[in-house]
Amino acid sequence: MAVLEAQDIAQTFDGEMIIEHVNLTLNEGEIVCLVGSSGVGKSTLFHVLSGLERPDVGRVLLDGEEITGKPGRVSYMLQKDLLLPHRTILSNVCLPLWIRGEKKSQARAKALSLFEEFGLAGTEKKYPAQLSGGMRQRAALLRTYLFSDRVALLDEPFSALDAITKGQMHTWYMQVMDKYRLSTVFVSHDIDEALKLSNRIYVMTGKPGTITEEIVIDRKGMTREEYCLNSEFLLKKRHILDILS
């Protein structure tokens, strides 16, 4: 059974159909990427998957249970880290736990137990302005994980980072994924990134937007770094570019 499933989703805005006939599945421990041109409806789909919007047609399932239009069941991280500037990193990370009603002491203890694993040791009392972009994204990802350690929706989580920092974040994120088995759907405009990180890629095209193709990534025992230098990587990249063009 899929952890997260979207079934025949359609959504309008101001009378205009934005997405239609969208079907998507996410399996446990899997990374699925959504690629497509700007304006094709990726953010609209994420709003539906997260429960922030109820679709006109279709439904969303989490572990087989319908969660259509029910926010708070899966975590959703936007492109910007949205850390509160007047709160410490520890307070920022604890926010989803406090909102759920956990005691402050328990929330702090749970968050602190993960600070080293998420590469944030020593930042607990610092403020967002004191951290680099990469460190802020780590804090945002930890906050996302604490909101839901089951499924995460990440909207271009690494797009604001420079190439070197992005590569370092990719390596770190995969280590976290391998350890915690967090099932993830993420949006990316970077096809190289999508091919490097994903198990599967959904390509969205058209107006209204729909999923045109599902691409399975088979690295055949190669590491992600090795795969990026393989001819199969280039063939799939060219194929995706052809679809999008």
Side-chain angles (χ1 to χ4, degrees):
M1 183 189 298
V3 177
L4 183 69
E5 187 172 3
Q7 297 180 342
D8 201 30
I9 299 295
Q11 180 70 310
T12 59
F13 181 74
D14 283 345
E16 179 183 358
M17 185 71 75
I18 305 299
I19 57 175
E20 66 175 355
H21 302 307
V22 174
N23 293 278
L24 174 151
T25 59
L26 174 68
N27 299 313
E28 185 174 3
E30 190 177 37
I31 300 178
V32 168
C33 183
L34 195 62
V35 300
S37 303
S38 296
V40 78
K42 300 184 297 296
S43 294
T44 298
L45 177 57
F46 261 32
H47 290 163
V48 171
L49 293 175
S50 65
L52 295 176
E53 294 183 15
R54 176 176 284 275
D56 297 311
V57 177
R59 60 180 189 158
V60 179
L61 305 178
L62 179 67
D63 293 323
E65 175 190 349
E66 184 168 355
I67 60 166
T68 313
K70 298 178 181 178
R73 303 297 299 275
V74 301
S75 58
Y76 183 9
M77 177 177 155
L78 299 173
Q79 182 176 352
K80 294 183 178 180
D81 58 66
L82 298 180
L83 299 177
L84 300 176
H86 60 284
R87 286 185 174 269
T88 64
I89 298 303
L90 178 57
S91 292
N92 267 287
V93 166
C94 286
L95 278 175
L97 301 177
W98 292 339
I99 291 171
R100 281 206 187 118
E102 290 196 29
K103 292 182 179 179
K104 286 190 174 183
S105 58
Q106 293 176 338
R108 287 195 182 99
K110 184 181 294 185
L112 284 170
S113 69
L114 293 167
F115 259 65
E116 184 173 356
E117 190 70 49
F118 276 72
L120 291 166
T123 68
E124 295 86 351
K125 297 181 180 180
K126 292 185 176 182
Y127 290 86
Q130 296 176 287
L131 300 187
S132 66
M135 294 297 281
R136 289 168 63 105
Q137 286 300 92
R138 288 173 186 253
L141 283 164
L142 175 53
R143 182 180 59 189
T144 301
Y145 175 77
L146 287 170
F147 184 87
S148 170
D149 61 2
R150 189 88 171 111
V151 174
L153 307 175
L154 309 180
D155 193 349
E156 296 192 75
F158 310 116
S159 63
L161 305 176
D162 62 81
I164 294 175
T165 303
K166 181 186 287 191
Q168 294 170 342
M169 287 291 289
H170 286 166
T171 300
W172 165 79
Y173 184 65
M174 292 313 306
Q175 291 171 347
V176 171
M177 281 290 302
D178 289 343
K179 180 167 183 176
Y180 293 105
R181 301 284 292 172
L182 178 63
S183 306
T184 304
V185 183
F186 79 100
V187 169
S188 180
H189 285 99
D190 184 338
I191 296 173
D192 287 15
E193 176 180 75
L195 287 166
K196 179 180 179 181
L197 299 183
S198 303
N199 300 108
R200 289 183 294 118
I201 297 172
Y202 285 112
V203 184
M204 284 190 74
T205 61
K207 287 187 179 295
T210 192
I211 291 176
T212 308
E213 190 161 345
E214 175 189 353
I215 297 171
V216 177
I217 309 301
D218 182 4
R219 297 184 180 87
K220 300 178 176 66
M222 291 179 281
T223 66
R224 284 176 166 79
E225 289 70 23
E226 290 169 341
Y227 180 71
C228 291
L229 301 174
N230 187 270
S231 59
E232 180 71 13
F233 176 94
L234 296 176
L235 288 171
K236 278 192 163 51
K237 180 176 180 179
R238 180 176 296 174
H239 179 59
I240 294 171
L241 288 171
D242 287 342
I243 297 171
L244 296 177
S245 63

